Amino acid sequence: MTAQTAPDIAMIRAAQARIGGRLRRTPLLWSPGLDAIAGRRVLVKAESLQLTGSFKARGGWSAISALTPEARAAGVLAFSSGNHAQGVAYAAREHGIPAVILMPRDAPEAKVENTRALGAEVVLFDRATDDRDALGAALAQERGLTLVRPFDDPQVIAGQGTAGLEIAEQAAEAGVREADVLVCCGGGGLTSGVALALEAEAPGMRVHPVEPEGFDDAARSLASGRIERNARLTGSICDAIITPEPGQVTFPILKRLCHPGLVVSDTEAMAAMAAAFRHLRLVLEPGGAVALAAALFRPEAVTGEAVICLASGGNVDARRFAEAITRG
Amino acid sequence: MTAQTAPDIAMIRAAQARIGGRLRRTPLLWSPGLDAIAGRRVLVKAESLQLTGSFKARGGWSAISALTPEARAAGVLAFSSGNHAQGVAYAAREHGIPAVILMPRDAPEAKVENTRALGAEVVLFDRATDDRDALGAALAQERGLTLVRPFDDPQVIAGQGTAGLEIAEQAAEAGVREADVLVCCGGGGLTSGVALALEAEAPGMRVHPVEPEGFDDAARSLASGRIERNARLTGSICDAIITPEPGQVTFPILKRLCHPGLVVSDTEAMAAMAAAFRHLRLVLEPGGAVALAAALFRPEAVTGEAVICLASGGNVDARRFAEAITRG
């Protein structure tokens, strides 16, 4: 496991250098139609177009490429039924190393298939009867695997921060040097990484996490000044960004750089998916659309002439997507 | 109107210089999942992510920026109920000049709205009782407007060809120097422009038009060696690429560089939309998906280790898109 040093801009730049051209520099998109809804310029960083369909490939690549050659050769382990699983599996495959992904037995078959299609070994566990952590620890010890955490790891945060370096450059090219930057937030890996990158590269930017109603642990933690937990972990359509609480590594960064957090409803997330479909021809998953939802439907929470939204992912079930775009 | 000189690579490069950074350099995307379906590498040039949601903004920009200052100041005229309308309207707005778009009175309200939202004046005509061409000619004369044709104009073809210059560069970056390049084809403006660009910049590429079954005027014209008409002009879901016949300017280029044409069914176009949704998180319209459909479902018509598909647009009704992605 990576040592728990605090991530910083040097680590983000180093992660960017290790990634090189092997992942995508995703586009920063806009459209007159979105600007009209929001009443200001809206710039969308489309991480849904990243390889594997979310920003998670950045963190996975950063963590794997930072391992010692011996640790890397032995392989990596991740717990995830979603975007992190695919990000780690892809990065492992591209490094030519084994990846073992622990997934709950009741995970959607499509997610299991997608992860296997990327070459990972999927180990299923039973949520009710198996101890996931013990199972993972046993596998890790037996095979010498290194755990890649979904967010609370400095090298993972550094990898996610590379999206922030790109935002700084692309926003400057678009003539935007001051803006609120809204980031879809689960455990805070992406939000904290982007905040560190922009603190160094674009100090006129103010980063804020955006979460779904009822799962606003980051917003409440920022308000109280200490880590607050969500009361429940199921019941949102924004499954990709539901976590129990901000991380031990991510929260100090959020607290220093990202006050306050914003919150949107599931209905607003679905409406943002419809707007991204129509105006940007992008496929966003519900959790990947909350930042755009805040930009479009909470204009009073944003200041300035432009707002930047990080659209974190596009791995969404066809029926859910069809519902979002046809309900209006 | 632009003089009917044959378009060439110099005109394409000049169009690229006039466009500068004002339109998008759209990404060339791929995914392991598409490669697995096709049995070879599949690279998708995502013009659905172009401003206005299709490549048509390129041709509109090229034509408008090539006008004399006097002609430009007077404004432009276009006949279209679809992507060409939006492309011309956007380019006119960005040049600060008037655009008049003639649309049939029974055009979908959303398309009329989208075109008006881009600042164009929409003039509606009745398909049964009005003479569209006479109406356009009268408006053009009265106001000094220049007609921007949808495809049979050298400057429009040169503008569409800028997508080919980008493909040459991006494919080389991806390590691909020899491939079939499949292009969604209506009147042939995009196909011929891309073919001219690749002839000069990437001579290992072989360009082919792709059309929907029953509307394969380009494929039949290439087979017979002379311009063939479609028997009908309605009844395909691929409305964006239905034209009566190849153009007088485009066909000689198609004939020299793009033999043979490929044809796919509407069902295959819908399946390609679903594949682009799932594997690339892209929104494609039916007519914008026929090239990808050929790459995925007609592998015997393609040679080599990689195939490049131009996904020409993403302006699709929500219900149609929902149907495509949920029918599988």
Side-chain angles (χ1 to χ4, degrees):
Chain A
M1 201 178 309
T2 317
Q4 295 296 305
T5 49
D8 60 21
I9 184 66
M11 288 175 67
I12 298 173
R13 290 189 183 123
Q16 188 181 45
R18 292 197 306 277
I19 291 169
R22 302 289 298 280
L23 295 178
R24 287 196 186 122
R25 181 186 167 87
T26 54
L28 188 69
L29 304 173
W30 68 93
S31 109
L34 291 184
D35 295 357
I37 298 171
R40 54 168 60 86
R41 281 183 77 184
V42 180
L43 302 170
V44 177
K45 176 70 169 167
E47 282 295 297
S48 54
L49 298 174
Q50 186 51 268
L51 285 157
T52 75
S54 89
F55 71 96
K56 291 285 190 179
R58 297 179 186 266
W61 197 289
S62 173
I64 287 171
S65 60
L67 294 174
T68 63
E70 296 72 28
R72 192 157 60 232
V76 292
L77 169 75
F79 304 107
S80 169
S81 61
N83 291 337
H84 179 56
Q86 293 186 58
V88 169
Y90 183 79
R93 191 185 77 163
E94 293 295 300
H95 282 83
I97 65 165
V100 178
I101 313 289
L102 262 77
M103 295 179 118
R105 201 173 296 280
D106 58 356
E109 188 56 33
K111 293 192 170 176
V112 176
E113 267 175 40
N114 285 347
T115 307
R116 283 196 176 124
L118 290 168
E121 175 186 345
V122 174
V123 174
L124 299 172
F125 66 90
D126 189 307
R127 285 183 207 255
T129 58
D130 290 335
D131 178 341
R132 186 194 74 167
D133 291 340
L135 199 63
L139 273 168
Q141 181 156 19
E142 183 188 319
R143 308 201 202 170
L145 305 172
T146 301
L147 176 66
V148 179
R149 295 170 185 274
F151 54 85
D152 220 23
D153 174 301
Q155 288 296 1
V156 170
I157 294 167
Q160 320 307 25
T162 62
L165 297 180
E166 293 173 13
I167 289 172
E169 279 186 27
Q170 294 168 318
E173 284 165 17
V176 175
R177 294 183 184 277
E178 297 202 358
D180 286 316
V181 179
L182 310 184
V183 183
C184 305
C185 185
L190 180 62
T191 312
S192 61
V194 168
L196 288 171
L198 294 178
E199 180 190 25
E201 301 281 345
M205 305 292 183
R206 302 163 298 273
V207 175
H208 302 281
V210 185
E211 296 165 293
E213 270 173 17
F215 304 87
D216 57 344
D217 52 301
R220 287 184 294 108
S221 300
L222 286 169
S224 74
R226 61 195 176 92
I227 291 177
E228 307 279 354
R229 285 183 72 83
N230 285 319
R232 58 202 171 98
L233 290 175
T234 57
S236 170
I237 58 169
C238 301
D239 58 308
I241 60 167
I242 303 305
T243 47
E245 61 185 27
Q248 297 292 332
V249 185
T250 59
F251 184 60
I253 304 165
L254 298 181
K255 194 170 167 179
R256 185 167 69 80
L257 295 172
C258 305
H259 186 82
L262 307 182
V263 180
V264 301
S265 69
D266 281 3
T267 304
E268 289 169 323
M270 298 275 271
M273 291 167 69
F277 162 80
R278 176 170 172 196
H279 296 290
L280 295 175
R281 296 89 190 171
L282 286 181
V283 174
L284 302 187
E285 61 192 62
V290 296
L292 178 60
L296 296 179
F297 309 124
R298 302 293 168 98
E300 73 290 350
V302 177
T303 57
E305 292 176 6
V307 59
I308 298 171
C309 309
L310 206 154
S312 53
N315 292 317
V316 54
D317 175 74
R319 285 183 199 288
R320 171 77 74 194
F321 192 74
E323 183 195 347
I325 62 174
T326 57
R327 60 155 56 181
Chain B
M1 204 176 310
T2 317
Q4 297 295 308
T5 50
D8 59 20
I9 184 65
M11 287 175 68
I12 297 173
R13 291 188 183 124
Q16 188 181 45
R18 292 196 306 278
I19 291 169
R22 302 289 298 281
L23 296 177
R24 288 199 183 119
R25 180 187 169 86
T26 54
L28 188 69
L29 303 174
W30 68 90
S31 109
L34 291 183
D35 295 357
I37 298 171
R40 54 168 61 87
R41 282 184 77 184
V42 179
L43 302 171
V44 177
K45 176 70 169 166
E47 282 295 297
S48 54
L49 298 175
Q50 187 50 269
L51 285 157
T52 75
S54 89
F55 70 96
K56 290 285 191 180
R58 297 178 186 266
W61 197 289
S62 173
I64 288 171
S65 60
L67 295 174
T68 64
E70 297 71 29
R72 192 156 60 231
V76 292
L77 170 75
F79 304 107
S80 169
S81 61
N83 290 337
H84 180 58
Q86 293 187 57
V88 170
Y90 183 79
R93 191 186 75 163
E94 294 294 301
H95 282 84
I97 66 165
V100 179
I101 314 289
L102 262 78
M103 295 178 120
R105 200 174 296 280
D106 57 357
E109 187 57 32
K111 293 191 170 176
V112 176
E113 268 175 42
N114 285 346
T115 308
R116 284 196 175 124
L118 289 169
E121 176 185 345
V122 174
V123 174
L124 297 173
F125 67 90
D126 189 307
R127 287 182 203 255
T129 58
D130 289 334
D131 178 341
R132 187 195 73 164
D133 291 339
L135 199 63
L139 272 168
Q141 179 154 23
E142 183 188 319
R143 308 201 201 170
L145 304 172
T146 301
L147 176 65
V148 180
R149 294 171 186 275
F151 55 85
D152 221 24
D153 175 298
Q155 288 297 359
V156 170
I157 294 167
Q160 320 308 24
T162 61
L165 297 181
E166 294 173 13
I167 288 172
E169 280 187 24
Q170 294 168 318
E173 284 166 16
V176 175
R177 294 182 185 279
E178 297 203 359
D180 286 317
V181 178
L182 310 184
V183 183
C184 305
C185 184
L190 180 63
T191 311
S192 61
V194 167
L196 288 171
L198 293 178
E199 179 190 25
E201 300 281 346
M205 305 290 182
R206 304 163 297 274
V207 175
H208 302 280
V210 185
E211 296 165 294
E213 269 173 19
F215 303 88
D216 57 344
D217 52 300
R220 286 184 295 109
S221 301
L222 286 169
S224 74
R226 61 195 176 91
I227 290 177
E228 308 280 353
R229 286 184 70 84
N230 286 318
R232 57 200 171 100
L233 289 175
T234 56
S236 170
I237 59 169
C238 302
D239 58 309
I241 60 168
I242 304 304
T243 48
E245 60 185 29
Q248 298 293 331
V249 185
T250 59
F251 184 62
I253 303 165
L254 298 180
K255 193 171 169 179
R256 185 167 68 79
L257 295 173
C258 305
H259 186 83
L262 307 182
V263 180
V264 300
S265 69
D266 281 2
T267 304
E268 289 170 322
M270 297 276 271
M273 291 167 70
F277 161 80
R278 176 169 172 197
H279 295 290
L280 294 176
R281 296 88 190 171
L282 285 181
V283 174
L284 301 187
E285 61 191 64
V290 295
L292 178 60
L296 296 180
F297 309 125
R298 302 293 168 99
E300 72 289 352
V302 177
T303 57
E305 293 175 6
V307 59
I308 298 171
C309 309
L310 207 155
S312 54
N315 291 317
V316 54
D317 175 74
R319 285 183 199 289
R320 172 76 75 194
F321 192 75
E323 183 194 346
I325 63 174
T326 57
R327 60 156 56 182

